[in-house]
Amino acid sequence: MSTAFAESEERRDLRKAVAELGRKYGRDYFNAAYREGRKTTELWEEAGKLGYLGVAVPEEYGGGGGEIGDLAAVCEELAAAGCPLLLMVVSPAIVGTIIAQYGTDEQKQRWLPGLADGTSTFAFSITEPDAGSNSHKITTTAYRQEDGGWRLSGGKTFISGVDEASQVLVVARTEDHKTGNLKPALFLVPTDAPGFTWQEIPMGIVSPEKQFTLFFDDVVLPSDALIGSEDAGIEQLFAGLNPERIMAASFATGTARLALELATEYAKTRQVWKAPIGAHQAVAHPLAQTHIEIELARLMTQKAAALYAAGDHMGAGEAANMAKYAAGEVVCAAVDRAIQTHGGNGLAEEYGLVQMLAGSRLSRIAPVSREMVLNFVAQFSLGLPKSY
């Protein structure tokens, strides 16, 4: 846990080690994987072998026994090195957290060791075409079968990394046969299950990870596909969504750090008149502002992680939303200012900035939009009437 506005020595050492791994691969490796249609498998596997993917998984299941703040540090440092791993936000952070907290002993033994060492990868699906940000309107439904199993029908969209995953954690609803009401529950669905298909969504984002629309056509599942209790879906769901927002913030601040690093180095060395362009306040001040905004976002992310580790879930939810908002804003600004610092070179592929544009913009939309964060803060932090 972070104390006195400083991270522990262990976490600082973790950051240094992960940064070294990130530099071993770097931007060129990441961009080449995208251009060639490859995955960043080598980096994922090495991060798993070194224990970085499982740093927050309980030790008894092969992990490091750390906190979400440790995993977020790994995510941030890899992004800052130019080789972000989007599925870190999903597999160990969301799915790993939910299984570790709510899975049965058998489910933990079965799934967590592979998740910790990177040999198993999990996707997560909640978004539906007709529900958008309103997760209460999801219609994907699991029906209890006579043999105790389940039958799953419905669809999801904008789901990351399904082509790399062995399982997808699906947020569905169960049918309450006593009242006819629907209530949320979480199911692990094998990606090779009969009746489960998906279609890639063409995206303009420079990333080896792809986005998909999913279709569940009467997918038959065993009884133990249900993770946790079918009566505690909302509580279990948000146990994974707060870590998701902490990780998304770290992903964004890492990218912002990289953009600032590239802009600062260029401003120090690019000379048009008598001095490097960084000597001009019109260039220097936006970069200084970016540095301040990055550090503010990082501090809020550390606060959110510390509150989550301490078990203050409402406080963590507020801080995680704020951290994700701040990080999404600064990564957009950082990339934009870095491109402006480079002038025309900022749009040349060789400088590595134009490739960040769409990805940085995504940080203001996903995994929760800036507008929904502002709604949350207005309602829960300020006590204003609910607006939607």
Side-chain angles (χ1 to χ4, degrees):
M1 182 183 299
S2 301
T3 57
F5 303 100
E7 290 185 316
S8 67
E9 182 178 355
E10 291 81 3
R11 188 173 295 172
R12 293 195 298 271
D13 289 342
L14 174 64
R15 284 187 180 275
K16 291 177 183 177
V18 174
E20 183 177 348
L21 174 65
R23 286 190 295 270
K24 175 181 175 181
Y25 289 88
R27 290 186 297 134
D28 291 342
Y29 164 81
F30 183 85
N31 290 332
Y34 165 76
R35 288 194 305 270
E36 297 166 12
R38 296 186 288 108
K39 305 299 182 184
T40 50
T41 305
E42 302 88 352
L43 174 56
W44 182 270
E45 289 180 349
E46 186 165 357
K49 290 177 182 177
L50 293 172
Y52 300 150
L53 300 180
V55 68
V57 172
E59 290 184 272
E60 58 265 38
Y61 302 108
E67 303 171 358
I68 188 61
D70 299 314
L71 188 63
V74 174
C75 181
E76 181 186 341
E77 293 304 323
L78 289 177
C83 46
L85 293 177
L86 177 61
L87 288 184
M88 279 196 67
V89 179
V90 180
S91 190
I94 304 176
V95 181
T97 297
I98 290 173
I99 293 176
Q101 291 190 19
Y102 295 101
T104 64
D105 289 339
E106 192 278 332
Q107 288 171 334
K108 294 175 186 179
Q109 292 286 354
R110 183 180 181 186
W111 301 120
L112 291 180
L115 189 149
D117 65 17
T119 56
S120 296
T121 304
F122 297 76
F124 174 74
S125 66
I126 182 172
T127 304
E128 295 187 2
D130 295 328
S133 297
N134 188 358
S135 58
H136 295 287
K137 288 184 65 178
I138 63 173
T139 58
T140 298
T141 305
Y143 301 91
R144 177 79 76 172
Q145 302 298 95
E146 291 183 1
D147 63 359
W150 301 89
R151 177 173 55 84
L152 184 69
S153 294
K156 303 288 183 179
T157 194
F158 290 112
I159 308 305
S160 303
V162 178
D163 57 335
E164 301 177 64
S166 58
Q167 306 276 331
V168 179
L169 185 63
V170 178
V171 181
R173 290 180 175 271
T174 60
E175 187 176 38
D176 188 329
H177 294 286
K178 293 181 180 179
T179 65
N181 294 329
L182 293 173
K183 50 190 178 183
L186 309 177
F187 296 87
L188 266 181
V189 181
T191 51
D192 60 357
F196 178 21
T197 58
W198 60 86
Q199 181 177 344
E200 182 179 341
I201 304 171
M203 303 289 289
I205 299 172
V206 177
S207 173
E209 289 92 359
K210 306 299 182 183
Q211 301 293 314
F212 297 89
T213 297
L214 313 185
F215 306 94
F216 304 101
D217 185 11
D218 289 331
V219 177
V220 176
L221 301 171
S223 59
D224 63 357
L226 176 69
I227 301 298
S229 168
E230 62 182 284
D231 297 315
I234 290 293
E235 177 185 346
Q236 293 168 180
L237 177 59
F238 277 92
L241 293 186
N242 284 335
E244 176 192 42
R245 288 164 193 185
I246 291 169
M247 292 289 286
S250 295
F251 191 101
T253 53
T255 303
R257 285 170 53 196
L258 175 59
L260 179 59
E261 177 186 339
L262 295 173
T264 302
E265 182 60 29
Y266 190 84
K268 289 177 180 178
T269 57
R270 173 67 168 166
Q271 186 167 332
V272 179
W273 287 283
K274 294 182 179 180
I277 61 172
H280 302 293
Q281 291 181 352
V283 174
H285 283 185
L287 301 184
Q289 181 181 353
T290 301
H291 178 66
I292 292 170
E293 292 167 353
I294 289 172
E295 290 306 305
L296 291 173
R298 294 181 76 202
L299 277 173
M300 184 55 74
T301 304
Q302 291 173 14
K303 176 181 179 179
L307 289 171
Y308 189 85
D312 182 356
H313 296 300
M314 188 61 194
E318 179 184 50
N321 274 292
M322 291 179 177
K324 190 272 167 188
Y325 175 92
E329 296 300 298
V330 71
V331 70
C332 288
V335 172
D336 182 71
R337 293 165 186 163
I339 290 174
Q340 193 69 23
T341 299
H342 282 71
N345 285 336
L347 298 178
E349 286 191 359
E350 67 175 291
Y351 288 87
L353 290 168
V354 69
Q355 296 93 324
M356 298 184 195
L357 265 176
S360 64
R361 188 63 181 78
L362 178 64
S363 293
R364 300 179 83 194
I365 301 170
V368 59
S369 71
R370 64 189 301 275
E371 290 76 17
M372 290 305 296
V373 171
L374 293 174
N375 283 337
F376 178 94
V377 171
Q379 181 180 350
F380 293 101
S381 302
L382 303 182
L384 295 173
K386 187 175 182 179
S387 61
Y388 59 96

